[in-house]
Amino acid sequence: MAAAQGRMSDSADGTDDVKDTEEADRHSGASAPPAFRAAVEALRGSRLRPQVEVEPTPAPQRLAPFAYALEAVAVDGEQELADGRLVLLHDPAGHDAWRGTFRLVTLVRAELEPEMAADPLLPEVCWSWLTGALQSRGLTYGEPSGTVTRAGSHYFGGLAERPPASQIEIRASWTPREGLGGVPDTAAHLASWCDLLAQVGGLPPAGPGDASVVTLPQRRGPQSR
């Protein structure tokens, strides 16, 4: 499988495309609430399996008063298997749809083998990968929502020699339960999200020795690194 790039949106619950912004993320300002700063620092200090490369990326402006975003790619040697983005949102006043003050929003995409793409249960299976990744780490969360989209491409004319291609896309958001000081365990949620990204890309489960972070290099396109 090869990775496919995409965007999330500025929708009310964050399950659509989030547009990239020119402004850098706003987590480091002195005006950011302590709970948000602590949640971001936990993300930045996380140690993850080496097959998932992570780096900060500009955060959306209109989803919440405070936002921080990461992008990641699951790799196998020189091949990109899946990629995605995770956005942490924070509204100190709370949000009716979230039922909390924090929200996590994600987009994960990968290309599929033809036999996998033809499975009628694929959307349900992919959604279970998301919920299973959270549950396997003992995380509690609320108000999950999202979509699983399967798309196929057929090529014609000058592109007719290309084989048909299929892609899966998972867009989702959920409310992480807050702990001491009103801070959710964002590091554990990030680790769960990386588990999802790896599973969508076809990587085996992480072993006990997979505990390092590899910085994501400058992106060079979805097929090669």
Side-chain angles (χ1 to χ4, degrees):
M1 291 186 287
Q5 299 181 34
R7 297 180 179 180
M8 294 183 294
S9 79
D10 293 4
S11 68
D13 68 353
T15 58
D16 295 325
D17 282 350
V18 171
K19 297 178 181 177
D20 287 330
T21 67
E22 296 295 329
E23 181 180 310
D25 61 77
R26 293 171 286 153
H27 73 275
S28 59
S31 62
F36 181 68
R37 294 201 303 269
V40 169
E41 288 305 313
L43 289 174
R44 298 172 80 184
S46 296
R47 295 178 63 81
L48 308 170
R49 60 187 295 174
Q51 298 94 339
V52 178
E53 303 175 350
V54 181
E55 75 169 3
T57 190
Q61 293 180 302
R62 297 188 295 276
L63 292 179
F66 301 94
Y68 180 76
L70 296 168
E71 65 180 4
V73 59
V75 300
D76 181 13
E78 294 298 311
Q79 183 181 13
E80 294 186 7
L81 303 176
D83 66 0
R85 184 177 301 174
L86 183 69
V87 180
L88 175 68
L89 305 176
H90 180 53
D91 186 341
H95 194 293
D96 290 342
W98 304 352
R99 297 193 178 182
T101 63
F102 283 90
R103 189 76 169 170
L104 285 163
V105 184
T106 185
L107 167 66
V108 172
R109 298 173 69 177
E111 290 185 7
L112 299 174
E113 301 297 337
E115 58 272 18
M116 182 180 293
D119 187 343
L121 296 179
L122 180 66
E124 289 80 3
V125 169
C126 288
W127 184 255
S128 73
W129 288 348
L130 169 63
T131 58
L134 294 169
Q135 293 166 4
S136 68
R137 292 183 180 270
L139 293 170
T140 56
Y141 60 95
E143 308 307 314
S145 64
T147 62
V148 177
T149 304
R150 173 173 43 192
S153 298
H154 295 264
Y155 300 95
F156 302 93
L159 301 177
E161 293 184 358
R162 293 189 183 182
S166 298
Q167 185 181 84
I168 195 73
E169 178 181 274
I170 304 171
R171 301 171 186 259
S173 63
W174 64 94
T175 299
R177 292 305 181 211
E178 298 167 13
L180 293 177
V183 183
D185 189 353
T186 50
H189 281 272
L190 174 58
S192 294
W193 181 71
C194 289
D195 291 342
L196 169 67
L197 192 70
Q199 189 164 19
V200 170
L203 290 172
D210 290 341
S212 63
V213 172
V214 181
T215 302
L216 185 68
Q218 183 68 35
R219 297 302 300 274
R220 287 187 283 272
Q223 299 291 336
S224 61
R225 302 174 63 232

